[in-house]
Amino acid sequence: MSVVPAEKAAVVPGAYSGGDTPTPYTEDVPSNLRRATSRLQFPPSYVVVGFYRLVTDRNLYVPAWQKCKHGFVRGATVAIVWGVGSFKIQRKFVEIFLIKSPRVTGLSRDALFGIPMPFDLPTYATLFFLSTQVSTVIYFFLSRNIRIARERAYDQTIASRGKGADWWRPYVEEWDNPPHVENTRWGLGLFMSGAAGRIVTKRESQYSRVLSKADHMGASSVLMIPLNFVPFAGIFIAAWFKALGTARYLHQPYFKAKTMNTEQVSTFIEERKWDYRAFGFAAALAERLPLIGLVFSISNRIGAAMWAHDLEKRQHYVAAVKAGLAPGIEHRPKFE
């Protein structure tokens, strides 16, 4: 990995600089850390684990459903009426504007981006758009309660691990030479931190935090509307734009529990930028799936909590090694 000069640093955390550097404290770890270390090698797995825990653990799915069921029923009723009443109109729209503009949308009557399809593409595309609209309508009725359910899911997951507030210790730097992170107030990173994808810059000024909240309320969805007219590929493109910011947003409770300042958070993410990109992409992609994405928006909090728990276990190990209380690695790799 190329050296980042002190006077020049990436504007956006996670900028690719080439090469791979092995993460320190991942080899010869104690037996009680081996499973956590193995999971940390592939962060998207926490999205799957979070979903599995939500649908199998009564202590998680029962409180979430109790909080959301009334809003879901009201939203589903309105969404069904909307879908049935507007299906023919929307299908006509697809046929006139999308099917007849294959260079823009990649759609034709029998093919998607030139690939032959075994079904009636106009009808399928219409159902795809309707499912997205149905999800939006249901979310409108759930917005407040589902936010509470997400927060509770994270807290209940942490509580299920039997860890109190004192278990989360101050940040410990794991690299001998951590990357230099430049605090940037303006620029592309600030723009992308809010409505264009939650890609947060190194310095969270008051303005960028307002943008982040606006994004969580749906501002990014408004700017991502054009991607909804590109079936299949659109959700992947949008998920990539939102990947890093989504992961950072999901770990805000973790950073708060460790009382990390802005510089520490930015450095922490920069050192694990591809882990955060991978987890954020998987989480954002899952949340953009029609209907079931609402479930993932809760389960991703569970996955983020479990990832935070494993990261903290490694932080404890690093602190013990540096304090001489645990055997460590004699020559730890440098961030170069």
Side-chain angles (χ1 to χ4, degrees):
M1 189 171 293
S2 60
V3 177
V4 181
E7 67 277 7
K8 293 182 180 179
V11 175
V12 180
Y16 179 69
S17 56
D20 293 315
T21 302
T23 303
Y25 303 100
T26 57
E27 299 178 356
D28 301 324
V29 296
S31 58
N32 63 321
L33 281 180
R34 288 173 185 169
R35 292 182 62 184
T37 301
S38 177
R39 289 191 296 266
L40 288 171
Q41 302 307 307
F42 189 63
S45 64
Y46 290 99
V47 174
V48 179
V49 173
F51 182 82
Y52 175 79
R53 283 209 59 187
L54 178 62
V55 299
T56 58
D57 190 338
R58 287 183 55 86
N59 293 327
L60 293 174
Y61 71 75
V62 171
W65 173 245
Q66 291 294 329
K67 192 63 182 177
C68 297
K69 64 179 180 180
H70 297 299
F72 177 81
V73 171
R74 292 194 298 269
T77 302
V78 174
I80 291 173
V81 173
W82 164 257
V84 173
S86 65
F87 177 80
K88 291 184 178 179
I89 298 174
Q90 296 201 50
R91 191 180 189 282
K92 193 67 175 178
F93 171 83
V94 170
E95 290 180 337
I96 295 176
F97 294 100
L98 301 185
I99 301 299
K100 293 184 178 180
S101 303
R103 292 184 179 180
V104 178
T105 64
L107 295 174
S108 65
R109 183 165 293 278
D110 302 312
L112 174 66
F113 297 105
I115 303 174
M117 292 288 111
F119 42 75
D120 180 13
L121 201 54
T123 299
Y124 190 83
T126 304
L127 291 174
F128 181 86
F129 296 143
L130 269 177
S131 63
T132 302
Q133 296 164 23
V134 167
S135 297
T136 302
V137 171
I138 294 176
Y139 180 79
F140 175 80
F141 285 89
L142 283 176
S143 57
R144 181 176 180 276
N145 287 343
I146 200 171
R147 175 179 58 81
I148 296 174
R150 291 165 178 167
E151 294 174 353
R152 289 179 178 176
Y154 187 99
D155 294 339
Q156 288 165 345
T157 302
I158 296 298
S160 71
R161 315 301 291 182
K163 310 301 182 184
D166 58 342
W167 187 72
W168 306 93
R169 300 177 185 174
Y171 171 69
V172 178
E173 179 53 59
E174 298 180 13
W175 295 90
D176 288 341
N177 294 321
H180 175 78
V181 179
E182 180 180 332
N183 291 330
T184 305
R185 185 185 182 100
W186 303 104
L188 176 63
L190 179 59
F191 173 74
M192 294 300 285
S193 69
R198 292 180 183 159
I199 300 180
V200 186
T201 55
K202 307 295 190 293
R203 181 175 181 178
E204 283 186 293
S205 63
Q206 183 178 4
Y207 179 55
S208 67
R209 287 196 296 269
V210 170
L211 284 177
S212 180
K213 291 180 180 179
D215 169 72
H216 182 51
M217 294 301 292
S220 65
S221 298
V222 174
L223 291 186
M224 293 292 178
I225 284 176
L227 294 176
N228 291 332
F229 293 98
V230 185
F232 314 110
I235 62 173
F236 287 93
I237 297 171
W240 175 251
F241 274 112
K242 301 180 71 171
L244 193 59
T246 296
R248 179 166 182 160
Y249 172 78
L250 290 174
H251 261 179
Q252 287 300 322
Y254 174 54
F255 302 143
K256 182 178 180 180
K258 290 180 68 65
T259 62
M260 295 170 65
N261 59 38
T262 302
E263 182 178 358
Q264 290 173 337
V265 171
S266 297
T267 302
F268 189 84
I269 292 176
E270 179 68 15
E271 292 170 346
R272 300 160 182 80
K273 53 190 173 185
W274 292 107
D275 289 347
Y276 272 85
R277 283 190 188 278
F279 174 79
F281 176 77
L285 181 63
E287 290 188 20
R288 288 190 66 84
L289 295 175
L291 298 178
I292 197 173
L294 295 171
V295 180
F296 274 107
S297 71
I298 298 175
S299 69
N300 282 341
R301 269 63 178 181
I302 299 172
M306 298 183 70
W307 187 21
H309 179 267
D310 287 345
L311 287 170
E312 184 64 10
K313 288 174 68 175
R314 187 162 71 185
Q315 282 269 291
H316 288 192
Y317 171 62
V318 173
V321 170
K322 291 191 172 185
L325 302 177
I329 302 172
E330 183 178 357
H331 299 290
R332 297 190 297 276
K334 302 177 186 299
F335 196 89
E336 298 178 337

